Amino acid sequence: MAVVFRNRRLRVIVISLAVIVILYLLIYTKLPDGGRAKKDVEYTDTHQGKHKSTGPITKENLPERVTVIIREFEDFDNAITDSVEELERTLKHVKVLVISDDVPYPPVQLNPKGSARIVTLAGNLLDNHTSCCPLHQVDTDFVFVVPDNVKIRDWTFIKSAAAFLRSRRNTKAVAVPVSDSKLECFNMTVDYKRWTLSFPRQDAGSALSECQLIKGSHGLFLETETLRSLTEPLSRPFPFTYYVQARVKNWKTRVMKSGRLEVIRPLYTDPHSSWKRKRAITDRTKAFYRSVGIKREVLPTGASLYYGCDKDKPRCFGTVLKDMPQFLYQGRWTPPCCLRALRETANHVFRALEACGARYWLEGGSLLGAARHGDIIPWDYDVDVGMYKADIPKCSSLVKAQAEPFTDAQDFVWEKASEGDFFRVQYSEVNRLHVDIFPFYSKGGVMTKDSWFPTHRQDTEFPESFLTPLSVVEFAGVNASAPNNVKKFLEYKFGQGVVENPRYPNYQRPV
Ligand SMILES: *[C@@H]1O[C@H](CO)[C@@H](O)[C@H](O)[C@H]1NC(C)=O
Ligand SMILES: *[C@@H]1O[C@H](CO)[C@@H](O)[C@H](O)[C@H]1NC(C)=O
Ligand SMILES: *[C@@H]1O[C@H](CO)[C@@H](O)[C@H](O)[C@H]1NC(C)=O
């Protein structure tokens, strides 16, 4: 914006004022205390406007500073009543919140005169919306999430844990071991885009104090704000769910050397309850993965566990519109379980076409993926194959599919596509991940077909010479048939430099 001052004196005054303001801002923000002072103001503001003491925690002010939360327990075997009694005895008037998915059954008896309450997360027609989120009712600046069968003999470590957390930026929680359980520190990575949680191979017994994931029984001491800033602060199994969410934010946890929690009595001692407990943890882990979108675990051995995309479940993304599948709008790529199912379907199709002697080749995006890195492009959602139309009669699966859809011995479904003159092989009847097979025929040395996708620029005729002879490329873990001179073929279809310059999917760019 250009402002012209006719009056010279006015111009001098305005410029001087501007210089003063700029200098003031520079000096103010450079003050060593500037940032921190501001943070404290923010801090008190977020606590519903109430003033929170930031001084040390003492035995007297403990009930105003810390809420003890018991989240991880089983209805069928717990020591909550004893734990709460112990807590109320040692830490007089401390607030204790027992957070349960549903009304505990058999019922948990608490001293009606005590400060402990049971909060149930399951919706209830008689409740209002406030009751959904018990953390909003916590009015202390710290929470201590403990297992359900512990007592705190010596509380003084809480004081140093609180001071420690206030002095750190990225260490947001302190782990307090239970009895003599040895806490182990692990690394972990969360790849949001690829829906993947990895546990890298690491040195056994590495004694680190700042951890990304801690195994072994322990309580977690942290600022209430830390828990509140997670999307699923109370998901189970706790604290595993905490570590996954903290990892995304790059927060670490310090293992406390001084403090200890003591076991009241061992739980799950008989084989049946131990089995029930283990199964419950597995089920809850899966539910948590589903809810935050983790579909693959990479174990320290390098092996993977996949979640979702089974043959008996629908594909985990809906019908693809305008070539932009739903997951791209979430900032994610194709779910790993879907890529795996696509590879399996592609391999099945290659073997079937080879078995009947059909001349086929990888097409479009699939061939591009093969040329770039020998696999499906990480955000692609189907596999495209071309074949000679004249070879259809040789393949009974295709001949049958021409009449009506049919399911083969391995549960893949072969059908004539409704969208045009091509075949579709689906992962299963329920799971519609698929490989498309496009029949081409030669017309005067040019490969052509009868139906086209007007929006796909790569869907074009091409010289038959690319297919005489066919070549072999690695794709999805196997060798697949491809045109000769793959790079030239791809550039013919997509344009110059397409192999070297991936175009990342961008749903904001018009297709
Ligand atoms: C919601 O329920 C709680 C507990 O029963 C009650 O204290 C609170 O006033 C209710 N809030 C509203 C908006 O109804
Ligand atoms: C975790 O990874 C860091 C490097 O990112 C490494 O220094 C550290 O030793 C690893 N921790 C463990 C327990 O392996
Ligand atoms: C593909 O074929 C080549 C050459 O025959 C072979 O060396 C390679 O191991 C094969 N790759 C796969 C994945 O089977």
Side-chain angles (χ1 to χ4, degrees), residues 185-187 202-203 206 208:
C185 200
F186 291 90
N187 277 347
Q202 57 197 20
D203 309 333
S206 53
L208 282 175

Side-chain angles (χ1 to χ4, degrees), residues 25 74 81 84 143 201 219 245-246 276 281 303 319 326 341 352 357-358 378 487 497:
L25 285 177
E74 302 296 343
T81 310
V84 169
V143 289
R201 190 192 294 275
Q245 295 173 84
K276 264 169 91 174
I281 291 177
T319 304
Q326 185 186 24
K487 187 164 187 279

Side-chain angles (χ1 to χ4, degrees), residues 347-420:
N347 291 348
H348 183 70
V349 169
F350 302 155
R351 298 296 84 89
L353 294 178
E354 282 158 19
C356 62
R359 289 163 291 168
Y360 77 93
W361 60 93
L362 283 175
E363 263 290 343
S366 301
L367 185 62
L368 193 52
R372 282 196 192 136
H373 64 288
D375 201 359
I376 299 167
I377 292 176
W379 50 87
D380 207 354
Y381 50 89
D382 64 5
V383 169
D384 292 336
V385 169
M387 74 172 285
Y388 273 87
K389 195 171 184 176
D391 293 348
I392 292 175
K394 293 201 236 168
C395 303
S396 63
S397 299
L398 295 176
V399 172
K400 274 197 249 175
Q402 269 177 325
E404 59 177 346
F406 93 101
T407 306
D408 69 18
Q410 284 85 40
D411 293 331
F412 294 91
V413 178
W414 298 68
E415 63 178 26
K416 205 79 218 281
S418 51
E419 295 94 328

Side-chain angles (χ1 to χ4, degrees), residues 81-355:
T81 310
D82 297 339
S83 301
V84 169
E85 251 179 53
E86 283 283 352
L87 287 167
E88 287 177 339
R89 189 165 43 239
T90 10
L91 311 173
K92 287 248 174 330
H93 308 300
V94 72
K95 292 169 195 125
V96 182
L97 217 49
V98 179
I99 303 178
S100 172
D101 291 323
D102 220 322
V103 175
Y105 188 81
V108 170
Q109 306 291 351
L110 299 182
N111 175 3
K113 293 204 184 105
S115 53
R117 282 186 302 134
I118 297 179
V119 184
T120 300
L121 295 176
N124 176 329
L125 280 178
L126 302 175
D127 283 347
N128 60 41
H129 192 62
T130 319
S131 49
C132 78
C133 315
L135 280 186
H136 286 295
Q137 295 158 41
V138 171
D139 60 357
T140 57
D141 43 350
F142 289 97
V143 289
F144 191 17
V145 190
V146 298
D148 69 325
N149 62 334
V150 295
K151 54 186 169 191
I152 304 173
R153 219 5 99 70
D154 174 13
W155 66 275
T156 47
F157 68 85
I158 290 181
K159 191 164 102 181
S160 47
F164 172 78
L165 289 179
R166 286 275 156 88
S167 72
R168 291 303 181 103
R169 286 194 62 186
N170 284 326
T171 305
K172 293 278 194 182
V174 168
V176 185
V178 173
S179 289
D180 34 324
S181 47
K182 194 175 167 308
L183 298 193
E184 281 185 290
C185 200
F186 291 90
N187 277 347
M188 164 170 69
T189 56
V190 180
D191 188 338
Y192 174 82
K193 213 175 248 178
R194 294 183 178 79
W195 314 72
T196 298
L197 186 60
S198 312
F199 306 98
R201 190 192 294 275
Q202 57 197 20
D203 309 333
S206 53
L208 282 175
S209 52
E210 308 274 305
C211 310
Q212 297 171 350
L213 165 65
I214 296 171
K215 290 188 190 169
S217 184
H218 60 284
L220 214 55
F221 184 84
L222 61 181
E223 288 192 75
T224 313
E225 267 326 284
T226 304
L227 267 196
R228 281 203 191 112
S229 51
L230 302 179
T231 166
E232 302 229 350
L234 297 172
S235 273
R236 296 176 72 183
F238 197 92
F240 176 71
T241 57
Y242 170 79
Y243 291 124
V244 173
Q245 295 173 84
R247 182 66 187 91
V248 176
K249 299 183 187 281
N250 234 337
W251 293 344
K252 292 194 172 163
T253 302
R254 160 71 67 109
V255 176
M256 190 99 199
K257 294 285 189 292
S258 55
R260 279 209 179 270
L261 300 173
E262 286 170 53
V263 171
I264 290 179
R265 66 181 171 82
L267 298 174
Y268 327 121
T269 45
D270 67 282
H272 183 63
S273 51
S274 145
W275 172 82
K276 264 169 91 174
R277 163 79 175 157
K278 272 197 195 117
R279 202 189 55 174
I281 291 177
T282 308
D283 291 349
R284 287 179 200 129
T285 307
K286 282 187 185 164
F288 171 68
Y289 284 173
R290 243 194 324 277
S291 121
V292 297
I294 286 174
K295 294 179 182 289
R296 179 189 190 189
E297 269 181 339
V298 181
L299 306 177
T301 57
S304 286
L305 297 178
Y306 292 89
Y307 298 90
C309 255
D310 302 317
K311 278 217 172 199
D312 60 352
K313 300 216 190 71
R315 179 173 85 169
C316 52
F317 52 94
T319 304
V320 175
L321 305 173
K322 295 188 172 170
D323 284 332
M324 283 288 161
Q326 185 186 24
F327 50 77
L328 291 179
Y329 294 86
Q330 296 169 270
R332 302 185 117 158
W333 289 349
T334 313
C337 50
C338 297
L339 286 174
R340 185 179 68 143
L342 267 180
R343 287 186 197 108
E344 201 184 317
T345 314
N347 291 348
H348 183 70
V349 169
F350 302 155
R351 298 296 84 89
L353 294 178
E354 282 158 19

